[in-house]
Amino acid sequence: MEFRVLGEVAVATEGGEDLPLGPAKRRSVLAVLLVHANTTVTVDRLAQALWDNEPPRHARTVLHGHISRLRGLFATHRAQAYGVELVTLGTAYLLRVPPERLDAHRFGELLRLARTRTEPEETAALLHDALALWRGTALQGTAATRALGSAAHALEELRLTAVQELAESRARLGDHASAVSVLRAAAAAHPLREQLAAALMGALARAGRATEARELFLRTRALLAQRSGAEPGPALVHAYSALPGGEADAVSATPDESHPHGTGAVATGGLHVGGAVDTGDAAGTTTAGGTARRRLPGAVLTRPTPPDAVADPVAVADLLPRRTRGFAGRAGELAALDRATAGLPGPLATIIGGAGTGKTALAVHWAHRRRSDFPDGLLFVDLRGYSPAPARDTTSVLREFLLALGVPADGIPQTPDGMAARYRALTAGRRLLVVLDNARGSRQVRPLLPGGEHCVTLVTSRDRLDGLVASDAARPLPLAALPTDESLALLAAVLGEEPVRAEPEPAARLVRLCEGLPLALRVAAARIATRPHTGLGRLADELADEQQRLELLDLEDTGVAAALGLTVHHLPDPARRMFRSLGVHTGGTLDTGTAAALAGCSPRQAASALDRLAAAHLLTPTGPESYAVHDLVRLFARTDSPVADPRATARLLDHWLHTLLAAAAAAEPGSEPCCTLPAGTGRAAGVRRFGDRADALAWYAAERDTLRGAVATAVDARLHSHAWRLVLLQWPLVLWQSRDGWTPLLELGLRSAEEAGEPGAQSRARALLGWVLIEEGRPEEALTHLERAPALAALAGDTAGEAVARINLAAALGGHGRHEQAREQLARALVLAERGAPAETVTLAHLHLARHFVSTGAYPEAAEHASNGLALAAPPVSAPRRVVLRTLSGEALAGMGRTEDAVRQLTDAVREAAAHAYAEGESAARAALTALGAGGGPVRL
């Protein structure tokens, strides 16, 4: 879970989905709490932040409602598991948020770290990462009040400081062109901030673009005069004087008593001053950027046209391709583009996504919808960043744009810098749309950005283009796969509605197999359209075979494999090696430790490679160190690797064993591991750490399919000692969700244990399988396995395993009404456990004996075993086991007529179950209380 204030105020889940925060006032409440995260905020302060000094009559009630809704939203999305808690403290509120989950804190930390570095490369990298956290103006979507405006302004000042520091570090590296790019967007967004303009002038001069620097000074001076009647301050004057020839034609610094720095009026420097409109007070002062200025006497400034200037052409460019036929869906993305291109001067939006997600189609479709907004023309170019053909060079694109804008061929400047300057000048006063399609990186884009505040630029790329976000305030629009309904609409748009309506289930299955990827859906539709006898059902059946899926989704040089291949081709070597190792992976999710095991590298190297794959949209980030791997991408990784690493499978399986042992220890604290690692197991590069039982069980559930794939891989590789361990180490989730279809996997684990010739493993597999079969209502099959389990454990010398096997056998016998035999098995299990098993197994034997005696009405014996079990069940023994023992104790005490003691035990059981979110145990304890007549109502926690 991540909290964002550097842009629109938002809360994002681990999967990257923004939570629905509701109206602006509720978003404002959250914004105030986040700005003051981990400190108390009074109700009065919240009211002032939301309504200035005019709160409504029932402001406290309204605020309470917003707080309640936020609490409910947090609870629904398990915020407490991430350390997030919204607390009421009297007449104040406190939002506890781990600092690393708030983007403003991470931004501040990166800025602080950057200032501690002495090497400009390190400084630049940290500042780049800091600025990449920004997604627009701070605190967007909140109420327009003084308090929130002041907080947003403070954050923006920090951002601008970071921009200037990044430009300085780039300049120290000698990369003056990059320094210019870093400063340009910020200076355009804050044209009256003279420090930015001065810094940009210096960067332009160092980049050999003194003419542009001089033009920037003149524009800024004219704007200052128009907006506030003020003259430039010392920073801007000094920057101009430092330009080649700047002292000769520009600045006279005569002292003036109205200027605290002793800098007097600035000469007009070639501008015509006249047409006074307000005589005013010539000695008056105003403030611009915090500096006192002498006010100019109501002047209107205009810039004359140089005598040798070429008049601007008047051609209306239109390079936009035709609309994509069969475009469907994307209503949300189109609306997001509308928002991203509104409000800011010269807005820049980036449409980013993986191969085949329909980025170009979306950009072109939006451009056609908004064509009337750009009366001065539409420019489009395929930069071929991910293409078999060489990428377009800047010079040829600029020449193409200038021709489209009406510049005659003989009037085009000869140098790239000259072309770029002419392009910016031509676009400065126009309403143009510029679409830069298929860009490989930010460096390829920057020279092609137009110069006008009324121009809109769309960039599409498979890369995240973080650089454009940092240097040019680009607003990214990530493009994901189409949801099912929009995928079906796309099929219907290409094939016609009748075929899709005629085969709804095959159509839905085909959409799932294409993973909502527009390119894959179009290729599939083309196969059906050109082969009338194929049909949706038949093609879906063929696509279900992983061996031929990618082949079926390619047509000539168009298709999923071709598109993915171009993306992979442009990856750096470490990322390409990591991508190819994904073919060995057994599931749809991936974390840094697993990736390190697959690639045989360190977790740090894996994290870097994974981030690059995510930047190329070959993986989807789902958390700080976790990613989703789509099936089509994984299949391509499998086919793209000419020679698979023979050790990768063993490394991966070893990694899973280490991780499963850690998960079992967290899920069942104090329990004995059901197995040890097999001989020859490698060391794990990075094993996930689990915070508590809930964290471990959530991981088990999330990785269930991946682990099932790992078992199948181990069996195929005849690594049976790995296979049965991979099965049995999932026992905490098996017991927790025993009726959730575990039988096939446990039978596979049993066969591997038999293949490995390990009787102890066979015993534990049969004991666990028997338990699941009992829960599934299959007692006869359960007995078949459970009756053999004790002898196998005895053969292996596994005392604890034999005790567990007899406990499970007793449960099956009791289910058949064979209570005496069940009691005998439990008695033998207790003797075995006390002879040589861990205390956790002894506790388990007492628990089942207590349950047996409660069911047969032998309450004193039940109470004794429950008491003995509780004495052994102190933490870290798992809370659910203690809850069951307390409940059994309460039932036994009730049967003995000790009602008061029974209520006390059952109340404690309810309290502990609620504290550990053990709903089943809480329900059982409340039912026992109700049966006593004590009620099942609220229990004070």
Side-chain angles (χ1 to χ4, degrees), residues 373-396:
D373 293 341
F374 306 104
D376 295 320
L378 303 102
L379 300 176
F380 178 95
V381 64
D382 179 3
L383 294 175
R384 300 199 296 243
Y386 296 89
S387 171
R392 295 291 302 273
D393 66 278
T394 302
T395 303
S396 67

Side-chain angles (χ1 to χ4, degrees), residues 130-362:
L131 288 166
L133 294 169
W134 285 76
R135 294 170 172 82
T137 306
L139 304 182
Q140 283 182 28
T142 59
T145 62
R146 286 190 296 274
L148 287 167
S150 175
H153 177 74
L155 288 168
E156 178 67 7
E157 286 295 309
L158 281 175
R159 187 185 76 84
L160 293 176
T161 300
V163 167
Q164 288 182 244
E165 291 180 10
L166 176 57
E168 290 168 7
S169 63
R170 292 292 188 196
R172 288 172 60 199
L173 289 167
D175 189 357
H176 301 302
S178 178
V180 169
S181 299
V182 166
L183 290 164
R184 186 183 296 281
H190 300 271
L192 294 179
R193 190 180 177 96
E194 293 185 45
Q195 289 287 348
L196 272 176
L200 179 54
M201 286 171 60
L204 286 166
R206 288 187 293 272
R209 295 153 68 176
T211 301
E212 290 180 53
R214 191 173 291 107
E215 290 175 350
L216 173 62
F217 172 79
L218 297 174
R219 285 199 306 273
T220 305
R221 184 166 67 173
L223 192 61
L224 285 168
Q226 290 169 357
R227 298 277 179 91
S228 59
E231 63 189 29
L236 206 58
V237 170
H238 177 75
Y240 188 79
S241 299
L243 297 174
E247 295 179 356
D249 65 2
V251 185
S252 166
T254 50
D256 184 283
E257 63 275 9
S258 68
H259 199 295
H261 298 284
T263 302
V266 181
T268 57
L271 294 178
H272 174 69
V273 181
V277 295
D278 180 6
T279 55
D281 179 6
T285 60
T286 187
T287 300
T291 305
R293 305 289 171 77
R294 185 167 64 85
R295 189 185 301 279
L296 295 177
V300 175
L301 285 77
T302 60
R303 185 177 182 188
T305 302
D308 58 346
V310 178
D312 283 349
V314 294
V316 177
D318 190 351
L319 301 181
L320 197 63
R322 64 174 176 81
R323 288 178 185 265
T324 302
R325 294 180 181 177
F327 185 89
R330 299 296 193 196
E333 289 83 353
L334 289 167
L337 271 181
D338 289 340
R339 293 191 297 270
T341 55
L344 289 177
L348 166 61
T350 58
I351 303 173
I352 54 176
T357 50
K359 300 177 294 296
T360 303
L362 177 65

